[in-house]
mmCIF file of all heavy atoms in Angstrom:
data_model
loop_
_atom_site.group_PDB
_atom_site.id
_atom_site.type_symbol
_atom_site.label_atom_id
_atom_site.label_comp_id
_atom_site.label_asym_id
_atom_site.label_seq_id
_atom_site.Cartn_x
_atom_site.Cartn_y
_atom_site.Cartn_z
ATOM 1 N N LEU A 1 0.836 -1.230 -0.103
ATOM 2 C CA LEU A 1 0.001 -0.048 -0.022
ATOM 3 C C LEU A 1 0.866 1.205 -0.073
ATOM 4 O O LEU A 1 1.915 1.290 0.666
ATOM 5 C CB LEU A 1 -1.009 0.073 1.239
ATOM 6 C CG LEU A 1 -1.905 -1.217 1.349
ATOM 7 C CD1 LEU A 1 -2.592 -0.976 2.604
ATOM 8 C CD2 LEU A 1 -2.896 -1.115 0.176
ATOM 9 N N ASP A 2 0.303 2.259 -0.665
ATOM 10 C CA ASP A 2 0.886 3.618 -0.505
ATOM 11 C C ASP A 2 0.315 4.283 0.551
ATOM 12 O O ASP A 2 -0.641 3.736 1.326
ATOM 13 C CB ASP A 2 0.824 4.453 -1.883
ATOM 14 C CG ASP A 2 -0.596 4.594 -2.323
ATOM 15 O OD1 ASP A 2 -1.573 4.320 -1.506
ATOM 16 O OD2 ASP A 2 -0.907 5.021 -3.432
ATOM 17 N N ILE A 3 0.614 5.629 0.828
ATOM 18 C CA ILE A 3 0.079 6.274 1.966
ATOM 19 C C ILE A 3 -1.368 6.413 1.883
ATOM 20 O O ILE A 3 -2.154 6.160 3.049
ATOM 21 C CB ILE A 3 0.697 7.678 1.999
ATOM 22 C CG1 ILE A 3 0.125 8.486 3.307
ATOM 23 C CG2 ILE A 3 0.549 8.473 0.691
ATOM 24 C CD1 ILE A 3 0.435 7.718 4.589
ATOM 25 N N ASP A 4 -2.001 6.608 0.692
ATOM 26 C CA ASP A 4 -3.546 6.696 0.708
ATOM 27 C C ASP A 4 -4.092 5.342 0.980
ATOM 28 O O ASP A 4 -5.160 5.127 1.731
ATOM 29 C CB ASP A 4 -3.925 7.173 -0.722
ATOM 30 C CG ASP A 4 -3.594 8.603 -0.980
ATOM 31 O OD1 ASP A 4 -3.553 9.388 0.098
ATOM 32 O OD2 ASP A 4 -3.322 8.958 -2.130
ATOM 33 N N GLY A 5 -3.543 4.231 0.543
ATOM 34 C CA GLY A 5 -4.079 3.003 0.730
ATOM 35 C C GLY A 5 -3.945 2.541 2.229
ATOM 36 O O GLY A 5 -4.975 1.902 2.844
ATOM 37 N N LYS A 6 -2.926 2.996 2.966
ATOM 38 C CA LYS A 6 -2.747 2.718 4.275
ATOM 39 C C LYS A 6 -3.848 3.429 5.125
ATOM 40 O O LYS A 6 -4.309 2.990 6.165
ATOM 41 C CB LYS A 6 -1.326 3.146 4.772
ATOM 42 C CG LYS A 6 -0.216 2.216 4.115
ATOM 43 C CD LYS A 6 1.181 2.865 4.653
ATOM 44 C CE LYS A 6 2.197 1.991 4.006
ATOM 45 N NZ LYS A 6 3.688 2.445 4.197
ATOM 46 N N ARG A 7 -4.147 4.613 4.777
ATOM 47 C CA ARG A 7 -5.189 5.487 5.454
ATOM 48 C C ARG A 7 -6.565 4.874 5.287
ATOM 49 O O ARG A 7 -7.414 5.085 6.064
ATOM 50 C CB ARG A 7 -5.141 6.915 5.049
ATOM 51 C CG ARG A 7 -3.917 7.653 5.416
ATOM 52 C CD ARG A 7 -3.768 9.047 4.767
ATOM 53 N NE ARG A 7 -2.708 9.785 5.427
ATOM 54 C CZ ARG A 7 -2.058 10.834 4.841
ATOM 55 N NH1 ARG A 7 -2.349 11.199 3.669
ATOM 56 N NH2 ARG A 7 -1.145 11.498 5.602
ATOM 57 N N GLN A 8 -6.767 4.015 4.350
ATOM 58 C CA GLN A 8 -7.979 3.358 4.132
ATOM 59 C C GLN A 8 -8.019 1.979 4.717
ATOM 60 O O GLN A 8 -9.033 1.508 5.192
ATOM 61 C CB GLN A 8 -8.349 3.233 2.590
ATOM 62 C CG GLN A 8 -8.474 4.639 1.917
ATOM 63 C CD GLN A 8 -8.853 4.363 0.428
ATOM 64 O OE1 GLN A 8 -9.334 3.349 0.020
ATOM 65 N NE2 GLN A 8 -8.427 5.340 -0.309
ATOM 66 N N PHE A 9 -6.752 1.423 4.740
ATOM 67 C CA PHE A 9 -6.621 0.048 5.355
ATOM 68 C C PHE A 9 -6.840 -0.029 6.885
ATOM 69 O O PHE A 9 -7.540 -0.875 7.437
ATOM 70 C CB PHE A 9 -5.284 -0.460 5.026
ATOM 71 C CG PHE A 9 -5.012 -1.843 5.670
ATOM 72 C CD1 PHE A 9 -5.218 -2.995 5.048
ATOM 73 C CD2 PHE A 9 -4.331 -1.754 6.922
ATOM 74 C CE1 PHE A 9 -4.884 -4.301 5.521
ATOM 75 C CE2 PHE A 9 -3.912 -3.176 7.518
ATOM 76 C CZ PHE A 9 -4.300 -4.306 6.778
ATOM 77 N N MET A 10 -6.200 1.024 7.652
ATOM 78 C CA MET A 10 -6.225 0.973 9.025
ATOM 79 C C MET A 10 -7.684 0.976 9.729
ATOM 80 O O MET A 10 -7.859 0.226 10.726
ATOM 81 C CB MET A 10 -5.425 2.133 9.683
ATOM 82 C CG MET A 10 -3.943 1.890 9.320
ATOM 83 S SD MET A 10 -3.183 0.327 9.848
ATOM 84 C CE MET A 10 -3.376 0.481 11.672
ATOM 85 N N PRO A 11 -8.682 1.839 9.226
ATOM 86 C CA PRO A 11 -9.953 1.804 9.879
ATOM 87 C C PRO A 11 -10.581 0.330 9.772
ATOM 88 O O PRO A 11 -11.250 -0.107 10.685
ATOM 89 C CB PRO A 11 -10.787 2.767 9.184
ATOM 90 C CG PRO A 11 -9.664 3.714 8.589
ATOM 91 C CD PRO A 11 -8.577 2.831 8.272
ATOM 92 N N GLN A 12 -10.370 -0.287 8.650
ATOM 93 C CA GLN A 12 -10.964 -1.620 8.507
ATOM 94 C C GLN A 12 -10.143 -2.658 9.281
ATOM 95 O O GLN A 12 -10.711 -3.592 9.897
ATOM 96 C CB GLN A 12 -10.913 -2.093 7.034
ATOM 97 C CG GLN A 12 -11.758 -1.110 6.087
ATOM 98 C CD GLN A 12 -13.100 -1.018 6.487
ATOM 99 O OE1 GLN A 12 -13.677 -2.096 6.886
ATOM 100 N NE2 GLN A 12 -13.767 0.073 6.371
ATOM 101 N N PHE A 13 -8.798 -2.530 9.439
ATOM 102 C CA PHE A 13 -8.017 -3.342 10.301
ATOM 103 C C PHE A 13 -8.620 -3.384 11.816
ATOM 104 O O PHE A 13 -8.757 -4.461 12.282
ATOM 105 C CB PHE A 13 -6.526 -2.823 10.288
ATOM 106 C CG PHE A 13 -5.691 -3.617 11.160
ATOM 107 C CD1 PHE A 13 -5.241 -4.831 10.831
ATOM 108 C CD2 PHE A 13 -5.385 -3.049 12.406
ATOM 109 C CE1 PHE A 13 -4.306 -5.538 11.710
ATOM 110 C CE2 PHE A 13 -4.558 -3.771 13.246
ATOM 111 C CZ PHE A 13 -3.942 -4.998 12.899
ATOM 112 N N TRP A 14 -8.932 -2.348 12.260
ATOM 113 C CA TRP A 14 -9.383 -2.232 13.680
ATOM 114 C C TRP A 14 -10.839 -2.510 13.725
ATOM 115 O O TRP A 14 -11.200 -3.217 14.779
ATOM 116 C CB TRP A 14 -9.262 -0.786 14.230
ATOM 117 C CG TRP A 14 -7.723 -0.507 14.570
ATOM 118 C CD1 TRP A 14 -6.928 0.447 13.912
ATOM 119 C CD2 TRP A 14 -6.827 -1.254 15.401
ATOM 120 N NE1 TRP A 14 -5.758 0.447 14.276
ATOM 121 C CE2 TRP A 14 -5.599 -0.618 15.328
ATOM 122 C CE3 TRP A 14 -7.021 -2.231 16.310
ATOM 123 C CZ2 TRP A 14 -4.431 -0.909 16.021
ATOM 124 C CZ3 TRP A 14 -5.930 -2.521 17.128
ATOM 125 C CH2 TRP A 14 -4.635 -2.076 16.942
ATOM 126 N N ALA A 15 -11.677 -2.348 12.706
ATOM 127 C CA ALA A 15 -13.114 -2.596 12.750
ATOM 128 C C ALA A 15 -13.410 -4.084 12.870
ATOM 129 O O ALA A 15 -14.198 -4.419 13.497
ATOM 130 C CB ALA A 15 -13.756 -2.025 11.483
ATOM 131 N N LYS A 16 -12.417 -4.878 12.182
ATOM 132 C CA LYS A 16 -12.660 -6.321 12.268
ATOM 133 C C LYS A 16 -12.309 -6.856 13.680
ATOM 134 O O LYS A 16 -12.711 -8.010 14.053
ATOM 135 C CB LYS A 16 -11.596 -7.012 11.168
ATOM 136 C CG LYS A 16 -12.016 -6.806 9.699
ATOM 137 C CD LYS A 16 -11.180 -7.674 8.832
ATOM 138 C CE LYS A 16 -9.748 -7.278 8.806
ATOM 139 N NZ LYS A 16 -9.009 -8.022 7.777
ATOM 140 N N ARG A 17 -11.702 -6.050 14.413
ATOM 141 C CA ARG A 17 -11.261 -6.518 15.748
ATOM 142 C C ARG A 17 -12.078 -5.939 16.837
ATOM 143 O O ARG A 17 -11.833 -6.247 18.061
ATOM 144 C CB ARG A 17 -9.750 -6.324 16.054
ATOM 145 C CG ARG A 17 -8.896 -7.171 15.130
ATOM 146 C CD ARG A 17 -7.533 -6.644 15.159
ATOM 147 N NE ARG A 17 -6.726 -7.509 14.392
ATOM 148 C CZ ARG A 17 -6.588 -7.816 13.058
ATOM 149 N NH1 ARG A 17 -7.379 -7.102 12.391
ATOM 150 N NH2 ARG A 17 -5.862 -8.708 12.634
ATOM 151 N N ASP A 18 -13.056 -5.103 16.486
ATOM 152 C CA ASP A 18 -13.997 -4.517 17.518
ATOM 153 C C ASP A 18 -14.895 -5.651 18.074
ATOM 154 O O ASP A 18 -15.786 -6.185 17.440
ATOM 155 C CB ASP A 18 -14.967 -3.477 16.821
ATOM 156 C CG ASP A 18 -15.677 -2.696 17.735
ATOM 157 O OD1 ASP A 18 -15.511 -2.858 18.937
ATOM 158 O OD2 ASP A 18 -16.445 -1.950 17.374
ATOM 159 N N GLN A 19 -14.535 -5.930 19.239
ATOM 160 C CA GLN A 19 -15.293 -6.938 19.997
ATOM 161 C C GLN A 19 -16.760 -6.588 20.461
ATOM 162 O O GLN A 19 -17.530 -7.520 20.640
ATOM 163 C CB GLN A 19 -14.563 -7.501 21.239
ATOM 164 C CG GLN A 19 -13.147 -7.954 20.829
ATOM 165 C CD GLN A 19 -12.274 -8.141 22.022
ATOM 166 O OE1 GLN A 19 -12.527 -7.670 23.216
ATOM 167 N NE2 GLN A 19 -11.256 -9.120 21.937
ATOM 168 N N LYS A 20 -17.082 -5.335 20.404
ATOM 169 C CA LYS A 20 -18.373 -4.798 20.752
ATOM 170 C C LYS A 20 -18.894 -3.652 19.905
ATOM 171 O O LYS A 20 -18.853 -2.583 20.133
ATOM 172 C CB LYS A 20 -18.346 -4.351 22.295
ATOM 173 C CG LYS A 20 -18.173 -5.401 23.439
ATOM 174 C CD LYS A 20 -18.170 -4.817 24.670
ATOM 175 C CE LYS A 20 -16.849 -4.115 24.937
ATOM 176 N NZ LYS A 20 -16.852 -3.523 26.261
ATOM 177 N N PRO A 21 -19.214 -4.121 18.573
ATOM 178 C CA PRO A 21 -19.517 -3.031 17.632
ATOM 179 C C PRO A 21 -20.796 -2.371 17.903
ATOM 180 O O PRO A 21 -21.016 -1.344 17.410
ATOM 181 C CB PRO A 21 -19.719 -4.009 16.300
ATOM 182 C CG PRO A 21 -19.988 -5.226 16.817
ATOM 183 C CD PRO A 21 -19.133 -5.480 18.020
ATOM 184 N N GLU A 22 -21.577 -2.847 18.954
ATOM 185 C CA GLU A 22 -22.779 -2.229 19.291
ATOM 186 C C GLU A 22 -22.507 -0.970 20.100
ATOM 187 O O GLU A 22 -23.397 -0.148 20.450
ATOM 188 C CB GLU A 22 -23.779 -3.127 19.960
ATOM 189 C CG GLU A 22 -23.300 -3.575 21.489
ATOM 190 C CD GLU A 22 -22.166 -4.664 21.386
ATOM 191 O OE1 GLU A 22 -21.827 -5.071 20.424
ATOM 192 O OE2 GLU A 22 -21.838 -5.143 22.446
ATOM 193 N N THR A 23 -21.341 -0.762 20.591
ATOM 194 C CA THR A 23 -20.923 0.424 21.351
ATOM 195 C C THR A 23 -20.312 1.534 20.474
ATOM 196 O O THR A 23 -19.662 1.078 19.505
ATOM 197 C CB THR A 23 -19.945 0.050 22.574
ATOM 198 O OG1 THR A 23 -18.744 -0.490 21.955
ATOM 199 C CG2 THR A 23 -20.561 -1.053 23.474
ATOM 200 N N PRO A 24 -20.328 2.721 20.839
ATOM 201 C CA PRO A 24 -19.763 3.772 19.994
ATOM 202 C C PRO A 24 -18.312 3.756 19.908
ATOM 203 O O PRO A 24 -17.698 4.460 18.953
ATOM 204 C CB PRO A 24 -20.402 5.045 20.585
ATOM 205 C CG PRO A 24 -20.603 4.741 22.097
ATOM 206 C CD PRO A 24 -20.996 3.261 22.038
ATOM 207 N N ARG A 25 -17.494 3.138 20.790
ATOM 208 C CA ARG A 25 -16.086 3.171 20.760
ATOM 209 C C ARG A 25 -15.417 1.832 20.289
ATOM 210 O O ARG A 25 -16.228 0.773 20.639
ATOM 211 C CB ARG A 25 -15.534 3.516 22.154
ATOM 212 C CG ARG A 25 -15.769 5.009 22.487
ATOM 213 C CD ARG A 25 -14.747 5.324 23.714
ATOM 214 N NE ARG A 25 -14.672 4.146 24.639
ATOM 215 C CZ ARG A 25 -13.748 3.348 24.875
ATOM 216 N NH1 ARG A 25 -12.728 3.512 24.200
ATOM 217 N NH2 ARG A 25 -13.787 2.408 25.800
ATOM 218 N N ASN A 26 -14.338 1.660 19.828
ATOM 219 C CA ASN A 26 -13.693 0.464 19.636
ATOM 220 C C ASN A 26 -12.756 0.267 20.791
ATOM 221 O O ASN A 26 -11.623 0.847 20.840
ATOM 222 C CB ASN A 26 -12.917 0.653 18.350
ATOM 223 C CG ASN A 26 -12.288 -0.788 17.925
ATOM 224 O OD1 ASN A 26 -11.909 -1.650 18.698
ATOM 225 N ND2 ASN A 26 -12.339 -1.024 16.585
ATOM 226 N N GLU A 27 -13.217 -0.269 21.951
ATOM 227 C CA GLU A 27 -12.513 -0.566 23.081
ATOM 228 C C GLU A 27 -11.150 -1.203 22.791
ATOM 229 O O GLU A 27 -10.253 -1.036 23.516
ATOM 230 C CB GLU A 27 -13.225 -1.190 24.155
ATOM 231 C CG GLU A 27 -14.472 -0.397 24.601
ATOM 232 C CD GLU A 27 -15.654 -0.556 23.670
ATOM 233 O OE1 GLU A 27 -15.650 -1.310 22.686
ATOM 234 O OE2 GLU A 27 -16.739 0.017 24.166
ATOM 235 N N TYR A 28 -11.245 -2.209 21.865
ATOM 236 C CA TYR A 28 -10.062 -3.079 21.623
ATOM 237 C C TYR A 28 -8.899 -2.194 21.088
ATOM 238 O O TYR A 28 -7.704 -2.281 21.510
ATOM 239 C CB TYR A 28 -10.367 -4.170 20.581
ATOM 240 C CG TYR A 28 -9.252 -5.089 20.213
ATOM 241 C CD1 TYR A 28 -9.154 -6.300 21.040
ATOM 242 C CD2 TYR A 28 -8.214 -4.804 19.325
ATOM 243 C CE1 TYR A 28 -8.065 -7.155 20.806
ATOM 244 C CE2 TYR A 28 -7.324 -5.682 19.091
ATOM 245 C CZ TYR A 28 -7.211 -6.863 19.763
ATOM 246 O OH TYR A 28 -6.141 -7.685 19.555
ATOM 247 N N ARG A 29 -9.158 -1.266 20.145
ATOM 248 C CA ARG A 29 -8.055 -0.423 19.565
ATOM 249 C C ARG A 29 -7.649 0.629 20.651
ATOM 250 O O ARG A 29 -6.397 0.928 20.674
ATOM 251 C CB ARG A 29 -8.729 0.427 18.293
ATOM 252 C CG ARG A 29 -7.751 1.424 17.788
ATOM 253 C CD ARG A 29 -8.337 2.175 16.684
ATOM 254 N NE ARG A 29 -7.348 3.044 16.030
ATOM 255 C CZ ARG A 29 -7.181 4.306 16.401
ATOM 256 N NH1 ARG A 29 -7.902 4.814 17.339
ATOM 257 N NH2 ARG A 29 -6.319 5.146 15.840
ATOM 258 N N ASP A 30 -8.637 1.099 21.459
ATOM 259 C CA ASP A 30 -8.286 2.098 22.452
ATOM 260 C C ASP A 30 -7.176 1.442 23.337
ATOM 261 O O ASP A 30 -6.164 2.013 23.719
ATOM 262 C CB ASP A 30 -9.419 2.517 23.224
ATOM 263 C CG ASP A 30 -9.289 3.616 24.160
ATOM 264 O OD1 ASP A 30 -8.116 4.335 24.006
ATOM 265 O OD2 ASP A 30 -10.114 3.973 24.929
ATOM 266 N N ASP A 31 -7.482 0.227 23.926
ATOM 267 C CA ASP A 31 -6.659 -0.446 24.815
ATOM 268 C C ASP A 31 -5.303 -0.809 24.301
ATOM 269 O O ASP A 31 -4.265 -0.614 24.874
ATOM 270 C CB ASP A 31 -7.402 -1.676 25.475
ATOM 271 C CG ASP A 31 -8.488 -1.440 26.375
ATOM 272 O OD1 ASP A 31 -8.621 -0.165 26.834
ATOM 273 O OD2 ASP A 31 -9.269 -2.212 26.727
#
């Protein structure tokens, strides 16, 4: 990926690991 691709990749990377998508925060990424 170039810089633009990385900026699109990272939100999806963390979204897949969001253990509680029903909450407004991604606690997994935060921690």
